[in-house]
Amino acid sequence: AFDVAAILDACQKESVIALTIVGDAMATPIADALQANPDRWDLSGLFVIASGGAVLSPAVKARLLELLPGKMIVDGLGSSETGIMGNKTSGMGEEEGTEPRFTVGEHVQVLDEDLQPIAAGSGVVGKLARGGHVPLGYYNAPEKSAETFVEADGKRWSLPGDLATVEADNTILLLGRGSTSINSGGEKIFPEEVESALKAHPQVYDAVVVGVPDERWGQAVTAVCQFREGQAPSYDEVKDFCRARIASYKLPRQLVNCDRIKRSPAGKADYPWAKAFALEALGIQ
């Protein structure tokens, strides 16, 4: 089990300088423990918290930086198919932005539909890709390999499935996975952005956003939320809170409460479970 006290005890005992976590699923309970027990752990030796594998939302990151002043948080960008692609560093007096912009390595590009690199500052959305040392493929999965590992103009690329764009300063603005995006009223909405807005609400402990069938919109943005113990904000309250953080068309049109958000053992969001849970709770066949 994920034992926060045991982790922080080990950090103190061993004078750990770097702690690796998986996004909000681990960062939130760590922040809660630090806030509830401000004098329990001496983490003066801790220099950096590195997060990868799942979204570390701005609100949760800000909590950690407030509870651990003077520390650095490195948010990593990568996948099993690409290895490390880039990072975003917060803390140590650096200005913190709310959007997931990453500084990437020389082999990382965003490719258009013709597998050509997108120009910086163009605003074009494309597929995040990594060249250089690229795997040969998945074991015994030729069709999946052909989708993920592609070649253009004699160069091989690994496409992990993320959509992104290139900013004028050559940083990568990560939008989210194409496979989980929601098409509502002709607009493409990425769950990660809506989830970050939801998790900024002080009464929301965790949230996963999915699209469910809707006669008018095609898909309706639906939030599956786990509220903090003893808390039960109304849908209107949550929606109004998010309105100040994301565009109106991205706001959840429905909210479903659950006792506990299901995630993988590594802390990654389980979108198929969340969609099935939302459909059942809303009585949608």
Side-chain angles (χ1 to χ4, degrees):
F2 182 68
D3 189 333
V4 177
I7 290 169
L8 296 177
D9 285 345
C11 287
Q12 174 177 279
K13 179 181 178 182
E14 306 295 341
S15 297
V16 167
I17 62 172
L19 175 64
T20 302
I21 62 174
V22 181
D24 292 342
M26 295 184 183
T28 296
I30 288 173
D32 286 349
L34 292 172
Q35 186 170 358
N37 305 277
D39 301 318
R40 176 170 173 178
W41 293 285
D42 176 9
L43 301 179
S44 56
L46 185 64
F47 177 69
V48 61
I49 296 176
S51 176
V55 172
L56 180 59
S57 59
V60 178
K61 189 185 298 184
R63 280 190 71 202
L64 281 178
L65 290 172
E66 183 179 354
L67 291 163
L68 296 169
K71 311 302 182 185
M72 180 187 298
I73 295 179
V74 178
D75 200 356
L77 173 63
S79 70
S80 300
E81 296 85 351
T82 63
I84 297 173
M85 302 174 77
N87 62 73
K88 178 182 181 181
T89 303
S90 306
M92 304 296 287
E94 295 189 21
E95 185 177 348
E96 172 65 13
T98 59
E99 293 183 309
R101 286 189 173 88
F102 294 87
T103 301
V104 297
E106 61 176 319
H107 296 296
V108 178
Q109 297 278 357
V110 178
L111 306 181
D112 63 18
E113 292 299 322
D114 297 320
L115 300 180
Q116 298 301 310
I118 287 171
S122 66
V124 175
V125 174
K127 300 175 182 178
L128 189 64
R130 189 187 193 281
H133 295 292
V134 175
L136 297 176
Y138 298 107
Y139 180 66
N140 282 343
E143 292 185 2
K144 187 178 180 183
S145 294
E147 293 177 357
T148 303
F149 306 105
V150 301
E151 185 172 321
D153 300 328
K155 186 170 184 177
R156 295 187 71 244
W157 298 96
S158 176
L159 308 176
D162 297 296
L163 298 181
T165 189
V166 185
E167 301 293 86
D169 61 359
N170 285 309
T171 58
I172 299 296
L173 175 58
L174 186 67
L175 300 174
R177 283 283 164 113
S179 60
T180 60
S181 65
I182 302 165
N183 192 324
S184 183
E187 297 283 358
K188 182 170 285 189
I189 300 162
F190 294 95
E192 294 89 343
E193 183 180 4
V194 185
E195 290 164 3
S196 290
L198 287 163
K199 285 185 277 191
H201 192 291
Q203 296 180 39
V204 175
Y205 182 80
D206 199 1
V208 177
V209 172
V210 295
V212 301
D214 184 88
E215 185 175 334
R216 178 180 180 186
W217 302 103
Q219 286 185 302
V221 179
T222 302
V224 179
C225 289
Q226 176 184 339
F227 298 127
R228 291 189 175 275
E229 187 174 353
Q231 305 296 321
S234 68
Y235 163 70
D236 287 337
E237 182 183 349
V238 173
K239 183 177 69 172
D240 290 343
F241 177 86
C242 292
R243 193 183 300 277
R245 290 164 172 78
I246 55 177
S248 294
Y249 72 88
K250 300 177 183 179
L251 293 171
R253 299 187 182 277
Q254 299 166 121
L255 188 151
V256 177
N257 184 18
C258 73
D259 293 334
R260 185 176 182 82
I261 294 286
K262 181 180 177 182
R263 290 182 174 272
S264 76
K268 295 177 181 287
D270 188 334
Y271 287 101
W273 167 84
K275 185 166 185 176
F277 184 89
L279 291 173
E280 182 178 358
L282 296 169
I284 299 175
Q285 299 296 324

